Amino acid sequence: QQSLSIPTLIMRLFVLSLCCLQLALLASAVKEDEELFDWQEFHLTIENPQAAATVRHYVNARDFLVANENHLGYTESVVVPPQEVIGFMAFLGNLQVKYEILEKDVGGMLLRARLENKLSARAFNNDPSTYFAQSSEIYTWMEGLVSQNNGVASLVSIGRSYEGRNLRVLRLNMNGGSNKPVIFIDAAIHAREWLAPATLNYIVKQLINDYKAGNSEVRELMNKFDWHFMPVVNPDGYDYTFRSSSTRYWRKTRKPYRFAYGADPNRNFDFMFGGPGTSNNPSSDIYHGPNAFSEPETKALSDYLTGIRNQLQQGMYISFHTYGQWWLTPPGYTRSLPSDHTEMMRVGNAAAAAIRAVSGQNFRVGQPANVGLYEAAGGSYDWVKYRLGVKYSFTPELRPYYNGSLSGFSPSAREIPNSGKEIYQAVKAVVKEIM
C-alpha cells in the first residue's frame, strides 16, 4: 500500500477541516430559523457548588439557552427544547435541584411579543422611540431628526461593523458652541437588549422636544453640554436578534471565530482584558475575543471616544444595558472600592432617586459584584474611566427587576415609555450633579 507524502496528508486534513467547518456552519444556519415553539424555560435554584458545576456541564453539552452565563450555577433560567424536557427534569431530580417552569412555550411568547411590536410601530408611525426598531430604521428616523433640526443636529459615521453596517453617532449641539463638555450615551453593545436603544431614542426625542418647548432645565443642560448618542454599538448582533425566536437572545458580535461566532463586546475593551467574568472559549457568551478591540465595533467606538477625550473628561459616559434595575458604578472587574467611591455613589443615588420619584421603581446603585451581579472585566465603562480618565462613567441596567429569566430581555413594547420616562429623569439628574 502506497503511503501518503506529508504535504498530501496535510492538504487532505485541511480539506477535511474545511468540510467539518461548512457542516457546522450549515447546522447553525438551520437552527437560526427555528422558532422555539414548545421550548420550556426552567428557573433553577442550586444550593451547592458541586451541583452547580454538574448542571453547567450538562447544559453546555446540549443545545439549551441560558439567560446569563456568569450566573449559571445558583439561581438561573435555562430554556430547554421539548425533546429534552423529560430528561432534564429527571436529571434535576437526581441532583435534588429545585426548579420552576416559568414558560411552557417560549416561541409562542416571543411570537406574541413580535406581533405586539409590529402593532406598536404602525400605531406610532414607525417612530423608534415607541417600538423595537432595527438599526437601519433607527438611523432613518435620526436622519429625519437631523433634517428637522438643521444646524443643531448631525449624524456622523464612525466606522463599519464586521458585516459592513454603518456605525453612527447622533450629535446635538443646541447653541453652536465649540469644545463644550460631552455627554456620550450608547446602547445595544449587547445584541439582545432591545429596551436599551429604544430608551435612548425616547430620551433623544424628549430632549429635542423639551428644548424647543422652552423647558428651562433642559435648555440649561443642552446649552452647557454637547450630547452624543450611539443607539446601536453592535448592529450585526442586534439586527440578527430580529431574525427568529432562536436568534432573539443572541448577545455577541457576529465575527466568526473557529466553529463559533462573535465576541462579547463588553469584554473586549483594553482595560483588564481577559480578567474576571470573561472566557477564552469562542462558544461562550462572555468570550472576550482573541485580543482587545478585536471587534471592529469596539475599535470604532474606542477611537471615537479617544478623539473627544478632553471634552468627555469634563462630561459623562453612560452605557445603557438591560436588564435588572441597577445603576452601576465602576470598576466592574473587582469588588474593591475605588478612591472616589463616595462621589460615584452620590451621583448614582441621584439617578435612583429620580427614578423612584417618577415610577416608584427601585434601582440599586454600586459596583456590579457588590449589588448582586458579578465581576466583569474588559467593559466599556471601566475603559472609559481608567484609560480615558473620564471620572463620571456609568452603566444603567434598565427594567425589569432582575429575576434570572430570559424574558427580562424581551419586554413588551409597552414598556418603552415607562423606561424612557424614568431614565430620562435619571440622566438629567446625574448630569445636573456634575454641573
Side-chain angles (χ1 to χ4, degrees), residues 1 3 17 31 55 83 93 109-110 120-121 149 163 204 217 222 254 271 287 298 306 315-316 321 355 400 411 416:
Q1 185 177 2
S3 61
S17 67
K31 293 171 187 173
V55 170
Q83 68 274 16
M109 178 265 293
L110 291 175
S120 184
N149 298 276
E163 293 180 349
V204 167
E217 176 192 45
M222 298 196 75
R254 293 296 296 164
F271 182 76
Y287 175 51
T298 58
T306 300
M316 182 178 291
H321 286 251
I355 291 168
I416 296 171

Side-chain angles (χ1 to χ4, degrees), residues 322-378:
T322 72
Y323 72 102
Q325 296 187 191
W326 286 285
W327 194 277
L328 299 177
T329 62
Y333 72 92
T334 179
R335 293 177 179 275
S336 300
L337 300 182
S339 59
D340 62 352
H341 171 73
T342 300
E343 171 63 6
M344 296 300 288
M345 290 295 292
R346 181 188 69 81
V347 177
N349 282 326
I355 291 168
R356 281 194 302 274
V358 173
S359 62
Q361 295 296 313
N362 180 43
F363 273 60
R364 293 153 288 182
V365 180
Q367 291 165 249
N370 294 332
V371 290
L373 272 168
Y374 43 78
E375 295 175 345

Side-chain angles (χ1 to χ4, degrees), residues 110-360:
L110 291 175
L111 177 60
R112 290 190 296 273
R114 288 209 302 273
L115 292 174
E116 183 181 73
N117 192 48
K118 288 181 180 179
L119 290 174
S120 184
R122 291 174 185 170
F124 294 99
N125 197 29
N126 294 319
D127 178 345
S129 68
T130 62
Y131 79 103
F132 301 120
Q134 296 191 52
S135 64
S136 60
E137 297 172 296
I138 294 172
Y139 293 143
T140 298
W141 175 72
M142 286 188 164
E143 288 168 359
L145 292 180
V146 170
S147 66
Q148 296 162 19
N149 298 276
N150 189 32
V152 298
S154 60
L155 192 60
V156 299
S157 176
I158 67 169
R160 293 273 178 179
S161 70
Y162 175 79
E163 293 180 349
R165 290 177 175 84
N166 226 340
L167 304 171
R168 308 182 81 176
V169 173
L170 176 73
R171 297 174 173 174
L172 299 178
N173 182 351
M174 304 309 277
N175 65 354
S178 60
N179 296 317
K180 293 192 296 184
V182 166
I183 308 299
F184 187 97
I185 304 177
D186 67 39
I189 284 183
H190 288 144
R192 63 192 178 187
E193 299 173 5
W194 289 7
L195 189 60
T199 298
L200 181 149
N201 297 337
Y202 182 97
I203 290 172
V204 167
K205 183 177 178 179
Q206 287 302 122
L207 282 171
I208 292 173
N209 289 345
D210 286 349
Y211 189 91
K212 288 181 174 180
N215 182 295
S216 58
E217 176 192 45
V218 171
R219 280 186 165 270
E220 182 182 17
L221 292 174
M222 298 196 75
N223 287 335
K224 179 173 178 58
F225 298 95
D226 274 355
W227 293 71
H228 297 200
F229 299 91
M230 188 173 186
V232 186
V233 175
N234 175 16
D236 294 350
Y238 178 71
D239 286 352
Y240 181 68
T241 63
F242 285 81
R243 180 166 178 167
S244 71
S245 294
S246 61
T247 65
R248 175 61 187 87
Y249 296 118
W250 185 260
R251 171 182 166 99
K252 301 187 290 180
T253 64
R254 293 296 296 164
K255 186 176 179 181
Y257 287 106
R258 300 204 295 270
F259 295 104
Y261 281 96
D264 181 341
N266 213 37
R267 305 292 187 275
N268 193 238
F269 283 77
D270 189 20
F271 182 76
M272 301 302 293
F273 176 80
T278 72
S279 172
N280 60 9
N281 176 7
S283 296
S284 169
D285 262 357
I286 52 173
Y287 175 51
H288 49 54
N291 52 268
F293 301 131
S294 60
E295 310 310 285
E297 298 86 357
T298 58
K299 182 65 168 62
L301 175 56
S302 67
D303 286 347
Y304 181 81
L305 294 176
T306 300
I308 59 169
R309 178 177 187 168
N310 291 339
Q311 296 150 280
L312 196 57
Q313 286 175 342
Q314 303 170 59
M316 182 178 291
Y317 172 80
I318 305 175
S319 184
F320 289 166
H321 286 251
T322 72
Y323 72 102
Q325 296 187 191
W326 286 285
W327 194 277
L328 299 177
T329 62
Y333 72 92
T334 179
R335 293 177 179 275
S336 300
L337 300 182
S339 59
D340 62 352
H341 171 73
T342 300
E343 171 63 6
M344 296 300 288
M345 290 295 292
R346 181 188 69 81
V347 177
N349 282 326
I355 291 168
R356 281 194 302 274
V358 173
S359 62

Side-chain angles (χ1 to χ4, degrees), residues 42-104:
F42 285 71
H43 188 262
L44 313 181
T45 301
I46 308 174
E47 296 179 350
N48 67 77
Q50 184 176 357
T54 304
V55 170
R56 180 185 291 273
H57 178 77
Y58 186 97
V59 168
N60 288 344
R62 288 161 178 81
D63 216 9
F64 296 178
L65 298 176
V66 179
N68 197 315
E69 190 173 333
N70 285 89
H71 276 183
L72 180 56
Y74 295 96
T75 304
E76 192 52 86
S77 286
V78 178
V79 179
V80 181
Q83 68 274 16
E84 295 271 11
V85 167
I86 293 176
F88 189 52
M89 292 169 71
F91 166 76
L92 296 176
N94 290 335
L95 271 184
Q96 297 184 327
V97 169
K98 298 175 184 177
Y99 67 88
E100 175 187 2
I101 297 178
L102 298 180
E103 177 60 59
K104 290 190 174 182

